[in-house]
Amino acid sequence: MPELAYANSARGHPAARRNIWTGRTFLTAAVFVATSAFAADTLDPAALKRLVHQDCGSCHGLSLKGGLGPDLRAENLQHYDVDVLTTVILDGIPDTPMPPWRPLMTEEEAEWIARYLLTPEEQ
Amino acid sequence: MKRFAFGLLAALLATTAQAEPMATGDLGLVIERARGSVLLVDQSDRAALARIEGLGDLSHASLVYSPDERFAYVFGRDGGLTKVDIVTRQVVNRVVQAGNAIGGAISDDGKLVAVSNYEPGGVRVFDADTLEMVADIPTGGKTIGLVDAPGRRFVFTGWDNGETWIADFSGPEMELTKIKDMGENPYDALITANGRTYITGLFGEDGLTALDLWDETPEPIRVLPGYGRGQQEMPVYKMPHLEGWAHTGEEFVLPAVGHHEVLWVDAATLTETGRTKTYGQPVFAMARPDGRHVWVNFAHPLNDTIQVIDTVSKQVIHEFKPGPAVLHMEFTPRGHEIWISVRDADKVMVYDTHTFEKLREIDAESPSGIFFTARAHRTGL
């Protein structure tokens, strides 16, 4: 059930979510939201994490400390919101080496990466 | 007397064990990028011999060898410069010389090791014995394409300012020569095996820029300006590396940027002699040492594939998929085998370059660069 694991990690501390899981109605609703909003059936957090560190890491460094591309550690991204980062990931930045990743990922995946980058404890 | 004899025997045994000669000519090191270690490998046995750890962040790492093929100088992303003794199989010295580094070179006499840095931008030069800094050359920006050139020189280029600098250490004082107008956003460079021609690839515009280092005052020479004109640019998910020199027909073969092809350039006239369509955005286009074939790997997401191009016909003659994330290839010095890093399979794979048959798989953790000691004797590697 990777979608539930994902919903947990992205939307709140597992302990806080546990109360909700106790109600079947809420559980159903949560799964429905996760599925529709994040295409959870295709999201693979482990693969996305790997992509961030290994492939974004080609320019931004394996540990995201920067290289040809800028430092992407969470503490340096706090002045961006999720939407801006998602757009940068999907469409790139013209006249820079940052390519558009839209051909390779869904909007949901880009948004997952944006949230991941903004969450220091995740990295 | 008995005790003395025993002591002598022990001493003899110890001496024999210690004196077992350790030849390094067919050894190599594989970067294990996630683990911060290097794997010592033996070409002839097609085997890993030892893992040497504690080298820091090796996510974009490379290394050069001392002229005696005993020491490797490993350049880590985190600015670490680590001297590894491959005979005793240990780290013998390490300095963190900058915040963010991209590569290095060793002078022709083996006395100086230079590192190019993104942060702080520039080149720092170290004594190869002690790793004490002997020169600091700030460039004011990210510095790429650092190579050694004959005559105790280093050549490097600024990503931001498009200038190539030549640092000459042949005299008592370092002399700097600055060449402007190399082009927009040079991303990497190579020097030919004879040390004459330095070529930078450009990200910010189509084309490359060459310098004739035999010239008293080298001037930028435009190579293939506008090679992609009229074509749809494709996104570049990994910057190519320039490290290829096909001897047959005296041609360079170079990866295009934003186009799925390799470019052929006449080495004497620096004019285009052809292009070959490839499977993806090329990252490395490496000529087999005899120059007959060029092996090409590709950027994400097409990085599971290798194509082999014949340098006479310029046709792709073989294509195969070693596995997920092929990062680097290294030929044995005479070119009979090629070793390939397949990062996400956690393997180094060894292939026969004539039959294309896989000969061996060697376990390695997230392997990237493979460096055989024969590089010690080649300019620019």
Side-chain angles (χ1 to χ4, degrees), chain A residues 50 54 62-63 66 68 100, chain B residues 33 57 59 100 118 142 237 344:
Chain A
R50 184 172 192 97
Q54 300 290 352
L62 188 71
S63 49
L68 194 60
Chain B
R33 65 200 298 270
D57 179 352
S59 61
N100 200 317
Y118 283 159
K142 291 170 180 161
Y237 294 109
D344 293 351

Side-chain angles (χ1 to χ4, degrees), chain B residues 104-280:
Chain B
I106 188 165
S107 58
D108 53 5
D109 63 356
K111 304 285 191 205
L112 300 172
V113 173
V115 192
S116 64
N117 295 314
Y118 283 159
E119 183 54 49
V123 168
R124 287 179 169 163
V125 182
F126 299 84
D127 181 295
D129 283 333
T130 63
L131 300 191
E132 275 171 41
M133 188 156 77
V134 298
D136 185 10
I137 313 169
T139 58
K142 291 170 180 161
T143 304
I144 57 93
L146 169 66
V147 301
D148 57 286
R152 231 174 180 237
R153 291 180 296 169
F154 294 109
V155 187
F156 46 92
T157 299
W159 158 267
D160 304 286
N161 65 8
E163 291 184 10
T164 294
W165 293 10
I166 302 170
D168 185 336
F169 287 87
S170 62
E173 297 288 324
M174 176 190 70
E175 277 183 37
L176 264 185
T177 305
K178 300 180 182 179
I179 297 139
K180 293 184 192 300
D181 195 27
M182 293 291 287
E184 195 180 331
N185 290 146
Y187 64 85
D188 196 11
L190 65 79
I191 189 167
T192 52
N194 64 358
R196 177 171 183 175
T197 310
Y198 180 82
I199 295 189
T200 61
L202 302 177
F203 179 82
E205 56 186 282
D206 279 347
L208 308 115
T209 309
L211 289 178
D212 182 354
L213 299 178
W214 287 8
D215 202 323
E216 281 297 309
T217 54
E219 298 283 337
I221 303 162
R222 300 287 168 199
V223 181
L224 311 190
Y227 64 70
R229 196 162 289 152
Q231 296 174 16
Q232 178 74 39
E233 284 254 330
M234 283 177 263
V236 178
Y237 294 109
K238 182 171 169 58
M239 286 286 172
H241 283 256
L242 295 183
E243 188 182 314
W245 165 247
H247 296 274
T248 297
E250 293 299 317
E251 285 170 310
F252 298 101
V253 58
L254 301 160
V257 179
H259 305 283
H260 293 183
E261 55 193 18
V262 294
L263 310 167
W264 303 81
V265 180
D266 183 288
T269 62
L270 298 177
T271 53
E272 180 179 333
T273 50
R275 336 179 151 191
T276 304
K277 289 274 175 219
T278 53
Y279 176 69

Side-chain angles (χ1 to χ4, degrees), chain B residues 66-86:
Chain B
S66 62
D68 62 4
E69 297 187 4
R70 175 168 182 177
F71 298 105
Y73 300 90
V74 184
F75 311 103
R77 167 68 91 189
D78 58 1
L81 166 59
T82 310
K83 184 175 180 178
V84 174
D85 183 336
I86 62 175

